[in-house]
């Protein structure tokens, strides 16, 4: 026996070099490496008791088995009898034991997706129960329970009740039908359209598991720059196959609707949303979709924006367009997410203001099953933006938050930037629209009593083995889900639990890396766009700095439009003496931003054209402060590098080396941003970079001459 | 101790669920699952003895450690002393022991890459030595030794000498600078250009290991439809980073040269190969490349073909073009691979004949460091082609074989087709140019005494986790390397060793699956293009059947050009009464093909327009036989499915399910091919499909109406 054990043991050692290639994300379920805790967990958890059901608990049951077996390092058996240490899964309506143990009142506020986890004594046995009103809640409860163990939390006396703050929690994939991904930096699309519907890649299942584990309950599969072909029969079969794969994980599929589809694939002469034929076409098309996918989620629409067709082509409003689609999906319980990211080709108006100008007047005109999906800020996913002025301005309309996980403006998949602080900064902002009207409260429906609410993240997922290209890109996907479930979580909490699950529970590692994650976004702002600068990146591909660029076919695609540097100063005057975009905010917000003295430095150049010699609160001039910020950004990247180098012994060699290499690139590119921007702005300020700083190693002409015709875009 | 062991044991069990996702290819090194053999191997192998060298044996040493530790299920220590059971690695010049044990004469025929593996007694100790003239040989010897163990061969009394038959053994990547892959069906390019040179993906190392393990010693990184930008400074740095990653594995990098680069990036007015400025530009550019990559391999060129620029634009010959580049790389030891895949836009000549017409007259005019790279057949990688008539026709020129691993015409990455029989069929063909002039002997240099020789496979590799999309696509990559090393290996041998390493040594599995692999190519020919049909696939993307297609901008891109079906019969008359392409073969070959009676049925419609009522050797008519072949093809796919279903208990669930799903698609598509082709050809033959066969489930109009605007291409 001992010899047999030994042989098996050595076999296992050498077959268990399971590569830490990042594929497993935060669902690694490695056996607890703290022997005392392992012992304790094993005493607490001995078996799984899951009633025979109609198949809707299979995913939860299976995940629990996989997770517990991994974490406890032994098979945790399914047990029809409730024994000491059982984990009991089930709906009250199907489990008399749970009915007895959980009061109706406790279930009343869980909704369809919330759950209860409790440690209870039952007939002298210590058991853990996970219950909910619907199977989806149990699935989320299982993932929560596994998370507690993966992060090595106490589980002896649990009494947890949790329900999502937000109803629609989505990824938005900007994936095209040719398997490219717009603004994707992690390989090609994971949707292998060519082999769908026949081939269900294991990746689809693992995608669904990962999403379910963080509460994401839907996915928009296709690019907002939409293609009508996706709505044809052949493609709907592919979509249905994905929907089938995701359904056990409570994930609905949604599609983007190309507004001109009735013309392009329906052979109609118009796509006018008030035309009866058009309305019928969409109704029929929608009925067809629901035949394939009975729980189809609905449509996301980008209309009359950046060349996409929309209702304005027919002199109709966004509400007309959204309502037509809303009427088509309403009988099936579907929703429409209508994007507010619009700006007109013709209007010379400050781009900041255009979404508000277009949408605010439509408040109250949308159907009940329409959400208006608003980007976190008024321009376009910059490293820092003030909150979008539509938040708080459309009380009768549920506003859905749109974040961008893919790092279009944040260093592609090469820079380490943890986005939770960016997301939270916006959520925590007070719109002053009413009492209790932070952006978080607007979005989750608290402020205006909406029951429909939503939050979406533009996906950073691709075919790279580790899903997101940068190992830390996974943290942003993770954050989106966790914040959509509970917008009161702090950035630190989310980073902490992600690190523990994804890398290790060793505190020397977690403490250090959590610190650098939390600092990373501000560091990026400093080396890219400090003090409220925005949209000064390379044209088209958006790679690297190009504040000098002014050759775009429209003014508001040019960096010079946004920074407005001249011999006097720099920044976009959006006060009453300028574009007056600030008038779109509530007076309290407006006042704070409008006064130079009270405007936070972080937003200074968003709202003011500020003289180079302007004295900041510190007493230094604007120019000096700009230099300080850029240099500090680069220095901080070097600090991250040093911190990371100290982590070598705590984690696997593969991911350690990946991050180390990527940080080296980030440092080079931070230097590039700093040098290019300061040399360029210096041509206006005519002031020296302080002598204490390292000199730029190239000339401005060198930076201006760089071209990247094949940068991903 | 026992308790500690037990705990570790269970931990390992549950962490060792190493997913069989296909990433590890044939280098899995799982511990030998036959206890007796494991015991025996462990006795035979106890340690590794590798002399301190100048770093050039690191890869071999490391692979041996990884491989042996995995296979033996225990760490195999490095040992400075030679003990019983040592594996001794080293060059004779650095190891006195090896010098003593291996005679100079034994080393004399190994060349730079061959190796010796021998079991010997040394001072009473039983040891295994792996030696060679150069470090590369030792690397190959290590991989050979590990292969013996992975395939569970006896290793007690080894006496192996092996050297490659072919000098240049390459993959050709058709990878673009935007990370798409032309004719790629496995995700995006593994070359993550955006993050090169700073980021060396673990995938690059594993790519190099996999290639080295099968003897591939070079890789052309970029598409033959070339982009001059790759030759600019920024991109050469990326190439150099890859070259550095591959160098320890004896893999050289090559690039494709865009013939018009001197104009496009050199700002010259011409790319005329006889122009002095142009010649100097290429010389300088080449010198620059070699500064970055001292062992750069050279260029692969597609010129004056399908719109690519070339020397004919300046009324020069292919030889003029090739020689100009050859002169530029010659001082550095580089080579030029000049593709013979040319056919003119203007010439109405049978496309079959054009490469021969262009190149044969140039024999003798190429520099010594030029290979002319010839596709296996005269058209374009069809499921079956006769050997290319250039083989045997250019005795003074080394002809390099170009195969296509990516399944452009073979069902994309969805059909299971093992290509070794296709490759071997061509290699074994006798050109009758001289004595000893099979295609294999022409290509390996035997026939004409060339020392430069080459074989290339157009890569089927992409960013999908399992590299090739279809798990069995890996077998074709494997085959290319093994056949380039030793063109006498049989298809069965290669399939056998690949299966054992990639899946399992269990004979019930290996025997069954080897059988279906060996049959798979003929099965595909039967359901796609039986009896010598060719080039009848969908236009542009090449997906699915479209024998009716006749709208291409040039005649010889149309299926109707190739099958020439009419009321009388079907097939391309290439005899003297037709295009007379057969005149390009030696008389013995020509004769066999030219007579209907002697022409093998497999090539019938390649060379003859045959009446529908023509009596085949079987006594059946051509039409009946065509029907039989198509139906037999589908039936055989169903046989593969049944065979595979029986394999469930022998291998991992993940790959079992993947292949099962893909076979279901293959079956559907085989039916599609059969039905579409027979219904279409029936409009000419006016004969029924025999009643015993299942009826096509759609009309011809249905098949003709199918469109695939987003099929990968």
């Amino acid at each position: 026996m001992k010899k047999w054990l030994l042989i098996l043991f050595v076999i296992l050692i050498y077959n268990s070099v399971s590569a830490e290639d990042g594929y497993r994300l935060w669902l690694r379920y490695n056996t607890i490496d703290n022997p005392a805790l392992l012992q304790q967990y094993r005493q607490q958890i001995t078996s799984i008791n899951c009633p025979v059901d109609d198949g809707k608990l299979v995913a939860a049951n299976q995940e629990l088995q996989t997770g517990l077996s991994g974490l406890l390092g032994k098979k945790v058996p399914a047990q029809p009898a409730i024994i000491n240490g059982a984990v009991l899964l089930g709906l009250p309506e199907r489990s008399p034991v749970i009915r007895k143990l959980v009061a109706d009142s406790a279930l009343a506020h869980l909704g369809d997706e919330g759950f209860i986890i409790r440690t209870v004594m039952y007939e002298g046995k210590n058991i853990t129960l996970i219950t909910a009103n619907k199977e989806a809640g149990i699935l989320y409860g299982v993932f929560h329970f596994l998370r507690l163990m993966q992060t090595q939390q106490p589980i002896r006396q649990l009494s947890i009740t949790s329900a999502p703050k937000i109803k629609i929690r989505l990824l938005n994939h900007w994936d095209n039908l040719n398997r490219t991904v717009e603004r994707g930096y992690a390989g090609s699309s994971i949707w292998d359209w060519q082999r769908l519907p026949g081939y269900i890649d294991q990746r689809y299942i693992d995608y669904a598991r990962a999403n379910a584990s963080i509460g994401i309950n839907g996915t928009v599969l296709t690019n907002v720059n939409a293609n009508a072909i996706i709505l044809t029969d052949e493609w709907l079969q592919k979509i249905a196959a994905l929907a089938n794969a995701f359904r056990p994980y409570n994930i609905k599929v949604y599609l983007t609707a190309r507004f001109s589809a009735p013309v392009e694939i329906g052979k109609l002469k118009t796509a006018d949303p008030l035309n009866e034929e058009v309305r019928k076409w969409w109704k029929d098309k929608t009925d067809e979709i629901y035949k394939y996918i009975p729980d189809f989620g609905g449509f996301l629409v980008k209309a009359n924006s950046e060349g996409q067709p929309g209702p304005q082509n027919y002199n109709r409003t966004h509400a007309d367009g959204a309502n037509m689609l809303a009427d088509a999906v309403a009988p099936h319980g579907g929703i429409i997410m209508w994007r507010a990211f619009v700006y007109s080709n013709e209007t010379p108006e400050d781009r900041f203001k255009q979404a508000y100008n277009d949408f605010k007047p439509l408040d109250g005109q949308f159907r009940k099953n329409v959400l208006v999906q608003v980007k976190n800020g008024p321009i376009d996913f910059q490293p820092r933006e003030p909150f979008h002025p539509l938040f708080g301005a459309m009380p009768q309309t549920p506003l859905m938050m749109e974040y961008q996980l893919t790092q279009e403006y944040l260093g592609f998949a090469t820079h380490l930037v943890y986005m939770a602080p960016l997301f939270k900064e916006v959520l925590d902002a007070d719109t002053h629209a009413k009492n209790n009207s932070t952006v978080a409260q607007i979005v989750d429906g608290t402020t205006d009593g909406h029951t429909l609410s939503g939050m979406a993240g533009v996906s950073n997922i691709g075919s790279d083995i580790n899903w997101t290209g940068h190992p830390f890109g996974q943290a942003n996907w993770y954050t989106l889900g966790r914040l959509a479930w509970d917008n009161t979580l702090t950035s630190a909490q989310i980073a902490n639990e992600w690190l523990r699950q994804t890398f290790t529970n060793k505190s020397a590692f977690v403490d250090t890396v959590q610190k650098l994650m939390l600092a990373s976004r501000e560091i990026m702002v400093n080396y890219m766009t400090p003090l409220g600068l925005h949209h000064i990146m390379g044209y088209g591909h958006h790679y690297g700095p190009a504040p000098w660029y002014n050759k775009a076919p429209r003014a508001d695609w040019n960096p010079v439009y946004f920074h407005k540097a001249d011999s006097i100063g720099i920044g976009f005057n959006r006060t009453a003496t300028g574009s007056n975009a600030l008038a779109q905010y509530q007076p309290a917000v407006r006042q704070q931003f409008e006064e130079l003295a009270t405007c936070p430095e972080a937003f200074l150049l968003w709202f003011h054209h500020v003289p180079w010699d302007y004295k900041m609160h510190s007493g230094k001039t604007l120019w000096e402060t700009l230099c300080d910020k850029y240099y500090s950004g680069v220095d901080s990247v070097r600090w991250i590098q040093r911190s990371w180098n100290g982590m070598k012994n705590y984690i696997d060699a593969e991911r350690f080396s990946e991050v180390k290499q990527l940080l080296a690139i980030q440092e080079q590119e931070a230097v590039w941003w700093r040098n290019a921007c300061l040399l360029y702005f210096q041509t206006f300020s005519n002031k020296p970079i302080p002598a204490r700083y390292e000199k730029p190693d190239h000339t401005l002409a060198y930076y201006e001459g760089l071209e990247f015709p094949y940068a991903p875009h």
Side-chain angles (χ1 to χ4, degrees), chain A:
Chain A
M1 156 76 178
K2 197 175 155 194
K3 195 180 163 193
W4 170 87
L5 244 177
L6 253 167
I7 288 179
L8 254 172
F9 171 64
V10 285
I11 290 182
L12 285 163
I13 282 187
Y14 287 95
N15 289 343
S16 76
V17 241
S18 72
E20 287 284 9
D21 54 18
Y23 181 80
R24 295 186 296 161
L25 297 161
W26 48 86
L27 299 176
R28 289 157 66 247
Y29 302 137
N30 282 6
T31 305
I32 302 293
D33 57 2
N34 172 339
L37 188 67
L38 177 60
Q39 184 104 346
Q40 188 191 311
Y41 278 1
R42 284 180 170 189
Q43 279 162 6
Q44 183 72 21
I45 310 291
T46 62
S47 62
I48 296 171
N49 182 288
C50 177
V52 179
D53 75 322
D54 52 3
K56 289 191 180 166
L57 281 180
V58 166
N61 196 0
Q62 201 169 294
E63 193 72 27
L64 191 61
Q65 292 213 9
T66 306
L68 289 180
S69 300
L71 289 162
L72 301 184
K74 65 171 186 182
K75 187 160 168 55
V76 177
Q79 259 285 4
I82 296 179
I83 62 173
N84 200 49
V87 181
L88 178 56
L89 297 188
L91 298 177
E93 69 202 55
R94 290 170 182 257
S95 163
V97 179
I98 289 177
R99 262 211 99 59
K100 198 181 300 175
L101 291 170
V102 182
D104 283 354
S105 60
L107 294 157
H109 299 290
L110 294 182
D112 287 351
E113 300 188 311
F115 58 83
I116 288 171
I117 306 177
R118 276 200 211 153
T119 318
V120 292
M121 289 304 289
Y122 173 71
E123 297 185 349
K125 287 139 196 156
N126 184 293
I127 66 171
T128 307
L129 67 83
I130 304 178
T131 189
N133 290 320
K134 305 260 181 179
E135 289 89 350
I138 295 179
L139 180 70
Y140 294 132
V142 162
F143 277 114
H144 187 100
F145 183 59
L146 290 170
R147 180 189 309 126
L148 292 177
M149 293 174 72
Q150 272 216 92
T151 56
Q152 306 196 353
Q153 306 304 305
I155 58 165
R156 270 189 179 154
Q157 294 175 11
L158 296 177
S159 178
I160 296 169
T161 298
S162 181
K165 295 260 190 190
I166 286 174
K167 193 170 173 194
I168 312 287
R169 306 178 298 277
L170 297 190
L171 288 181
N172 287 183
H173 287 264
W174 288 357
D175 292 17
N176 298 313
L177 307 197
N178 63 1
R179 214 180 159 182
T180 59
V181 181
E182 182 163 330
R183 310 300 178 185
Y185 312 104
S188 53
S189 171
I190 59 171
W191 315 136
D192 183 356
W193 299 118
Q194 173 65 22
R195 301 205 283 181
L196 281 166
Y199 182 70
I200 300 300
D201 197 316
Q202 177 63 34
R203 195 147 200 163
Y204 304 150
I205 312 297
D206 292 326
Y207 168 86
R209 289 176 55 236
N211 279 323
S213 77
I214 53 176
I216 287 175
N217 64 2
T219 178
V220 184
L221 298 170
T222 46
N223 193 349
V224 287
N225 292 320
N227 188 323
I229 299 287
I230 197 73
L231 302 175
T232 59
D233 182 71
E234 183 199 346
W235 289 82
L236 291 177
Q237 294 179 38
K238 299 172 192 280
I239 304 299
L242 289 173
N244 292 342
F246 300 160
R247 190 169 295 113
Y249 294 93
N250 196 44
I251 290 168
K252 286 186 181 181
V253 302
Y254 299 75
L255 292 174
T256 47
R258 180 148 165 102
F259 202 78
S260 51
V263 176
E264 290 164 6
I265 60 168
K267 311 267 156 89
L268 301 190
K269 296 230 168 67
T270 176
D272 180 348
L274 300 192
N275 176 292
E276 276 312 312
E277 269 190 292
V278 171
R279 298 177 67 81
K280 178 167 187 322
W281 188 88
W282 278 111
K283 202 180 163 331
D284 292 347
K285 178 52 72 182
T286 303
D287 292 348
E288 184 191 344
I289 295 174
Y290 277 93
K291 258 183 214 130
Y292 280 113
I293 310 153
D295 55 355
F296 178 67
F299 293 116
L300 169 64
V301 187
K302 174 177 180 176
N304 293 121
S305 173
E306 301 184 317
Q308 292 298 309
Q312 294 177 343
N313 299 29
Y314 306 96
N315 294 314
R316 312 300 183 189
T317 68
H318 284 291
D320 293 329
N323 291 343
M324 170 190 64
L325 293 173
D327 290 342
V329 298
H332 306 283
I335 60 163
I336 301 302
M337 297 163 286
W338 194 270
R339 288 174 99 228
F341 178 68
V342 299
Y343 55 100
S344 159
N345 235 326
E346 294 76 32
T347 323
E349 182 60 280
D350 178 3
R351 186 169 142 191
F352 185 117
K353 295 165 67 178
Q354 296 194 38
Y356 180 101
N357 289 347
D358 263 22
F359 277 85
K360 160 105 178 128
L362 301 177
D363 190 32
Q365 298 183 25
F366 291 98
R367 296 281 189 275
K368 289 282 166 239
N369 59 334
V370 173
L371 297 112
V372 170
Q373 181 166 315
V374 183
K375 291 188 181 184
N376 57 279
I379 300 297
D380 197 6
F381 300 134
Q382 295 300 298
R384 167 167 279 128
E385 302 207 13
F387 71 86
H388 199 295
L390 275 175
F391 291 115
M394 295 183 69
Q396 298 179 69
T397 312
L399 298 188
M400 182 158 175
M401 174 66 82
E402 177 175 322
Y403 291 125
Q404 189 182 45
L405 309 177
T406 190
Q407 295 177 223
E408 177 177 359
Y409 300 101
L410 275 62
F412 291 9
T414 316
H415 293 213
L416 190 162
V417 55
Y418 173 53
M419 297 183 188
L422 186 163
F423 299 167
K424 289 290 288 184
E425 181 174 293
V426 175
L427 289 178
D428 292 346
D430 192 342
T431 69
H432 289 281
K434 299 185 176 177
N435 288 333
N436 296 320
S437 59
T438 61
V439 172
Q441 290 163 324
I442 302 283
V443 170
D444 71 19
T446 307
T447 308
D448 301 303
H450 294 299
T451 51
L452 190 55
S453 58
M455 182 180 286
V458 178
S459 158
N460 58 352
I461 294 167
S463 64
D464 281 358
I465 291 175
N466 74 1
W467 303 83
T468 55
H470 199 303
F472 279 75
Q474 299 177 357
N476 298 323
W477 175 10
Y478 185 87
T479 298
L480 189 273
R482 295 291 288 138
L483 271 185
W485 185 277
D486 182 359
N487 54 25
T488 69
L489 289 171
T490 67
S491 299
Q493 283 171 312
I494 297 171
N496 189 283
E497 61 180 52
W498 177 77
L499 283 169
R500 287 172 177 273
Q501 295 171 90
T502 306
F503 287 101
T504 175
N505 279 282
K506 287 173 197 142
S507 62
F509 178 86
V510 174
D511 296 349
T512 303
V513 181
Q514 181 178 322
K515 214 172 289 168
L516 66 85
M517 282 174 77
L518 290 171
S520 62
R521 185 274 191 129
E522 199 63 36
I523 292 169
M524 167 172 282
V525 168
N526 285 340
Y527 66 72
M528 280 187 179
T529 52
L531 297 174
L533 286 170
H534 52 283
H535 208 287
I536 56 172
M537 67 290 156
Y539 174 68
H541 48 62
H542 300 170
Y543 177 56
W548 48 79
Y549 197 84
N550 67 354
K551 296 201 176 69
R554 43 188 294 170
D556 58 1
W557 285 354
N558 278 322
V560 298
Y561 170 93
F562 291 96
H563 65 68
K564 300 201 186 300
D566 57 23
S567 62
I568 295 162
I570 183 171
F572 198 129
N573 180 0
R574 292 189 167 106
T575 69
T577 64
S579 79
N580 204 20
L582 278 171
Q584 296 183 337
Y585 288 116
Q586 294 294 325
V589 179
R590 173 186 183 154
Q591 260 165 27
Q592 194 206 16
F593 284 142
E594 191 144 57
E595 293 301 321
L596 257 182
T598 58
C599 182
E601 286 188 355
F603 292 105
L604 195 63
L605 306 181
W606 265 99
F607 296 116
H608 299 273
H609 192 70
V610 184
W612 296 110
D613 279 329
Y614 174 74
K615 282 275 189 288
M616 308 288 283
H617 295 306
S618 66
K620 291 189 176 182
T621 67
L622 172 66
W623 170 251
E624 287 170 320
T625 310
L626 196 67
C627 292
D628 289 349
K629 290 283 182 188
Y630 271 114
Y631 274 87
S632 137
V634 170
D635 286 350
S636 302
V637 174
R638 291 171 183 159
W639 164 73
I640 293 181
Q641 289 183 284
R642 289 191 303 274
S643 301
W644 185 256
N645 288 343
M647 298 299 101
K648 182 165 180 170
N649 295 328
Y650 298 110
I651 61 164
D652 53 287
E654 188 167 339
R655 290 184 296 172
F656 174 78
S657 157
E658 280 174 16
V659 173
K660 186 180 156 90
Q661 291 184 74
L662 291 169
L663 285 171
I665 300 177
Q666 184 173 358
E667 192 266 351
Q668 286 164 22
E669 295 191 355
V671 168
W672 172 28
W673 269 93
R674 179 195 73 191
N675 292 352
C677 292
L678 284 178
L679 287 172
Y680 169 73
F681 292 133
Q682 195 178 32
T683 65
F684 299 99
S685 78
N686 282 310
K687 294 175 192 302
I689 294 168
R692 66 182 175 281
Y693 289 134
E694 61 189 21
K695 297 225 177 312
D697 43 4
H698 294 285
T699 63
L700 176 58
Y702 166 84
Y703 293 115
E704 290 185 351
L706 294 176
E707 285 185 21
F708 305 94
Y710 295 96
H713 58 269

